[in-house]
Amino acid sequence: MKFITSVKSLVVVASLAIGVSGVSQAAQSPADLNDLQIAHVAYIADNIDIRYAHLALAITEDPKIRSFAQTMIRDHSAVNEQALALLKKLKAQPEDNFLSKHLTANSKILIDEMSQLRGVEFDKFYANNELAYHKAVNELVEFSFIPNIENGEVKALFGAGLEIFKAHQQHAQVMVDKLNAN
Amino acid sequence: MLTRRSFLKSALSLAILPVTGALSSTLFAAGLKHQAVEHIVNIQSFAFVHQLLVIEEQLAVKVGDTITWINQDIVPHTATAVDSSWDTGLIEAGAKVSLQVTKGWGRDYYCIYHPKMLGELLLVNK
């Protein structure tokens, strides 16, 4: 299936070690990122899912998928507000890095692909991508980010975020199962 | 249907206080005497955590009681009857919403935004 190739290219972020130039810290693995770079990745990852959700609301007519997309916008916006407030409190600026760039580049490819789809074809692509995306990001957060975050408040926020995103992953799984059953 | 007069919605900034064992016992006793009481449900880590008079994971309530849901998560939630007979509406992060229990309330509820979040009421003398 076409989408599987695309999703796989995203899923590898959890374990990739690619070289991308132009990053001051020259981090090449998620585990090498510092707190400010991790914060940047999280902010980008939230915004990517918000963009997917807006695309879904523009295309799908399925009420359950529309409801899910609205929840993604509501929750990821809330997490980003918390993250920005914490960074402001810490007087810190998030730092762009290879992984943020990689996520952004992949999301553009996926949005281009999804934009061409309509009806059930779109719904299945969106639902499967949401499941794969949350699974990949959750693994990244749980196993690469949280163990390496040094600041206690940032670590706590990522812990809270992980609970939310795991709930999203479960929700996406239900959505996928229902679409596959039809 | 949720009646407007029963809907005591308040979206206030919170200073969340733990419910003490003594208070819990007092309200347990009050519940047994069928006096209207306020039940507190904390929403924590994507779960409804019933604090008072819990019987086999159900929150025991009766008509006239008030239930207050306190959202301690960082995203909005709802508490919504599965049969749509009552609904808190959106509970912002850090806010609380109170509803007074009326006749005809459905037992099972969930968060409409996060359908895996489930809660259950035990309606006494329904």
Side-chain angles (χ1 to χ4, degrees), chain B residues 49-79:
Chain B
V49 182
H50 298 159
Q51 294 290 311
L52 303 176
L53 197 53
V54 174
I55 300 172
E56 293 180 351
E57 302 303 319
Q58 297 172 315
L59 179 66
V61 298
K62 60 182 175 50
V63 170
D65 285 356
T66 298
I67 306 176
T68 297
W69 285 268
I70 302 174
N71 184 3
Q72 299 185 40
D73 280 341
I74 61 172
V75 297
H77 292 295
T78 75

Side-chain angles (χ1 to χ4, degrees), chain A residues 62-119:
Chain A
D62 184 315
K64 290 196 182 303
I65 291 181
R66 294 186 69 81
S67 174
F68 178 88
Q70 284 160 345
T71 294
M72 294 306 103
I73 293 170
R74 190 184 307 109
D75 287 1
H76 287 287
S77 298
V79 172
N80 269 353
E81 280 176 26
Q82 295 276 333
L84 289 175
L86 178 56
L87 287 168
K88 188 177 178 184
K89 178 186 166 189
L90 298 173
K91 296 183 171 57
Q93 286 289 325
E95 291 178 8
D96 198 1
N97 59 84
F98 85 97
L99 190 49
S100 293
K101 288 181 169 64
H102 182 78
L103 287 171
T104 301
N106 267 315
S107 73
K108 287 177 179 170
I109 294 167
L110 281 168
I111 286 172
D112 283 347
E113 284 189 62
M114 279 195 276
S115 300
Q116 308 303 314
L117 305 175
R118 293 293 180 274

Side-chain angles (χ1 to χ4, degrees), chain A residues 7-31:
Chain A
V7 169
K8 276 185 178 172
S9 70
L10 169 67
V11 171
V12 293
V13 299
S15 58
L16 85 177
I18 59 171
V20 177
S21 61
V23 180
S24 60
Q25 296 297 313
Q28 296 191 354
S29 160

